[in-house]
Amino acid sequence: MAFKRLGYSDRVMVIIIYILLILLSFTALYPFWNTLVVSLNEGLDTAKGGITFWPREFTWTNYEIVFTNDRILQSFGISILRTVIGTVSAIFMTALLAYGMSKSYLMGRKFLTIFFIFTLYFGGGLVPTFLLIKSLGLMNNFLVFIIPGLISVWNMIIFRTFFKSLPNGLEESAQIDGCSNWGVFIRIVLPLSGPVIATLSLFTAISHWNDWFTPTIYITNQDLMPVQTILRRILNANLINDVIGGGDSLASEKLSKKSLTSKSLISATVMVVSLPIILVYPFVQTYFVNGVMVGSLKE
Amino acid sequence: MPQATVKEPDAKNTADYKPIHQRNAFQRWWKQIDIQLMVWPGAILIFVFAYIPMYGVLTGFMDYNIFTGARIFDNPWVGFKHFEAFFSAPQFVTIMRNTLAISLMKFFIGFPAPIILALMLNEIRGRFFKRTVQTITYLPYFMSWVIVGSMVMSLLSTENGSVNMLLQGVGAIDEPINFLSMREYFWGILVTTNVWKDIGFNSIIYLAAISGVNPSLYEAAEIDGATRFKQMYLITIPTIMPIIIIFMILQMGSLLNAGFEDILILAQNPSLRPVSDVIDTYVFRVGLQNQRYDYGVAVGLFRAVVSIVLLTMANYLARRSGNSLW
């Protein structure tokens, strides 16, 4: 519908909507842009203030410090490791469970369905879970990032709904050709589930990458801290030297000169931590959108 | 077709062959052991990480001693002592007020916001503009609360934070305001940040519902001379009403869910506690950080029981309205 054909009141409404949407987009984008600009600005200069849309004294120094800091690099490695291992293993285990649950002849299926769904309504809560993790010896253990999250009941339901919608004939013909149920799952069902696997993997990977809370209660060993938790401690202490300076004499030397100027350094760290998501985001946006649609599927 | 592909070709001829429905339960179970083996690892994991903590809630009725470890029945039973302690604690009223106030504010502002965004996006005919706005507004949803928190702190900072600069620039204030340490601003900041983070992503579901509206309805309305606003009001909104209602009902089920990560991140200043303490953060602070495990369990259990009642009610209502989550 062309703008010219609209009546007077409609034109006013459309103009107001455009203005509101532009304002909203601006507020959504500005914090990211401002963080980027501050991270590219010289630290001492940032402290003088007034950095909004464009760097005043452009420099890569903040990123150099971040990328040469052992503490941050190590935590970055932990984050990548837990995201990759955690996502692959969780998606496989959940899909496997869902495939079994999609078989109508599975004995105990009714019981198991209630068994799983009940956990969506009721949980033991933070403290009993903490005591359990502790008694399992998962404190200060990398596996605490992986094992408790292997099964997601929500994702199981989504997978199961999808598996049920696959044509039966495919599986039957594979079985006639001598394929076992496991063979069918690995050779037929998984390859056919590409879009669902991609969508659920993305959401799982993001929740792994973004998780800063689990380590604050289960991890005290510095070497096992993922980058989000390190960042949170930097923000909390408000003195970047305390957290990342230890054990790295070069960085602490550089830092002690600029202890007042940590804002640019913090911004650089924030950018580095959010960059993986910002970079992949435009390419996988359709999957994100799919995710909402898949998630709203009913059983 | 070769003989070998037919299942159990020889068994049928032996005397003890029975059709599958006549065998006993274990035989039938053993026959599908391959499928059972797919299900049981998951079931065991859920048992360990979801059901054992449920058994752990019994410590809420005991005086728990950390040295008893997993043998929780070595601890003495104390009945509802910890529950009574919570209900009569000086913070109880504050915590309940904060929990309800924050979650209601999140509901009344955060729930309609994505619907309004979806309705506005629906009025945009330019595909490029619409897609750009969508891409930008979805982005914050995927950032962790640590990132979001750092941006909020930076924007609201008294040392040249953009918000203070803007307010000083237009002459609204003379001195920079330390927003994140003042109680009167905390709820506003919390709710705004939540809306900012989730508005785009939550609008997707409503946009999808709107795209299901029959276009001929709009054409007919246009011929009858309805303005765009009237079309929105009389066609779009009534059509997506069922989805709005179901989401609204389900939201009500999480009334005690005032937030956790967002409050931990944004309310770092302890002086904010009188307005920022909600049940979940209280359980975390007192139960875990101060190691009053039994008390923390009891408070957590109180919240879980109220939540399950609310959720069941919400789901019942949703079912009656013709939609169900499960």
Side-chain angles (χ1 to χ4, degrees), chain A residues 1 5-6 9-10 13-14 17-18 20-22 24-25 27-32 34-35 46-52 93 96-97 99-101 103 105-108 111-112 114-136 138 147-148 150-151 153-154 157 175-176 180-182 185 203 206 210 212-213 216-217 228 231-232 235-236 263 266 270 273-274 277-278 281 285-286 288-289 292-293 296 298-299, chain B residues 1 5 7 25 28-29 32 34-43 45-54 56-57 59 64 66 70 117 119-121 123-126 129 131 133-147 149-151 153-155 157 159-162 165 196 199 201 204-205 208 222 226-229 232 260-261 264-265 268 280 283-284 287-288 293 296-297 301 304-305 308 311-312 315 322-326:
Chain A
M1 198 181 341
R5 276 176 44 207
L6 292 173
S9 67
D10 284 349
M13 186 175 92
V14 170
I17 286 176
Y18 268 95
L20 287 177
L21 288 178
I22 288 169
L24 183 74
S25 306
T27 53
L29 213 51
Y30 178 75
F32 293 96
N34 186 247
T35 310
T46 304
K48 289 180 204 150
I51 306 293
T52 48
M93 289 301 289
L96 185 69
L97 170 67
Y99 183 66
M101 292 293 289
K103 297 288 169 206
Y105 58 81
L106 176 83
M107 283 176 75
F111 165 76
L112 286 168
I114 296 169
F115 178 80
F116 288 122
I117 300 276
F118 182 69
T119 63
L120 296 176
Y121 280 90
F122 189 76
L126 188 65
V127 180
T129 310
F130 170 79
L131 295 174
L132 169 77
I133 298 279
K134 202 169 173 182
S135 63
L136 287 176
L138 288 174
I147 296 177
L150 278 178
I151 300 293
V153 175
W154 275 117
I157 294 172
Q175 268 160 348
I176 288 168
S180 67
N181 272 319
W182 283 73
F185 173 68
F203 278 91
I206 285 180
N210 282 347
W212 59 274
F213 181 70
T216 57
I217 47 178
Q228 302 268 3
L231 178 60
R232 142 97 173 169
L235 292 170
N236 227 357
K263 189 174 175 184
I266 290 176
V270 169
V273 175
S274 48
I277 292 180
I278 295 179
Y281 172 71
Q285 203 194 344
T286 43
F288 288 147
V289 177
V292 182
M293 305 330 284
S296 63
K298 273 188 278 173
E299 210 182 321
Chain B
M1 192 171 293
T5 59
K7 279 175 186 168
R28 278 187 290 143
W29 189 84
Q32 51 170 253
D34 53 344
I35 291 286
Q36 293 287 347
L37 279 179
M38 293 178 171
V39 172
W40 281 99
L45 280 166
I46 288 291
F47 177 79
V48 172
F49 289 104
Y51 281 88
I52 291 183
M54 287 186 209
V57 302
T59 53
Y64 181 72
I66 186 73
L117 175 62
L119 289 173
M120 291 202 298
L121 282 168
E123 296 302 318
I124 302 297
R125 291 295 178 270
F129 182 78
R131 271 203 69 87
V133 173
Q134 283 176 278
T135 306
I136 292 171
T137 50
Y138 297 169
L139 183 61
Y141 179 84
F142 299 102
M143 295 295 144
S144 74
W145 271 108
V146 175
I147 303 277
S150 79
M151 288 176 179
M153 283 176 220
S154 159
L155 289 179
S157 153
E159 291 158 24
N160 303 302
S162 299
M165 277 160 60
W196 177 80
I199 183 171
F201 193 76
I204 296 177
I205 193 86
E222 210 177 309
T227 61
R228 292 278 284 275
F229 186 75
M232 179 201 283
F260 181 64
E261 287 191 28
L264 282 187
I265 294 276
Q268 273 170 11
D280 288 341
V283 169
F284 174 60
L288 267 192
Y293 296 122
V297 170
L301 181 61
V305 168
I308 196 173
L311 254 178
T312 316
N315 205 25
N323 302 284
S324 164
L325 195 53
W326 298 297

Side-chain angles (χ1 to χ4, degrees), chain B residues 239-253:
Chain B
T239 324
I240 63 170
M241 212 49 182
I243 290 208
I244 295 180
I245 289 173
I246 177 107
F247 273 74
M248 198 160 79
I249 294 172
L250 292 173
Q251 273 278 303
M252 286 191 244

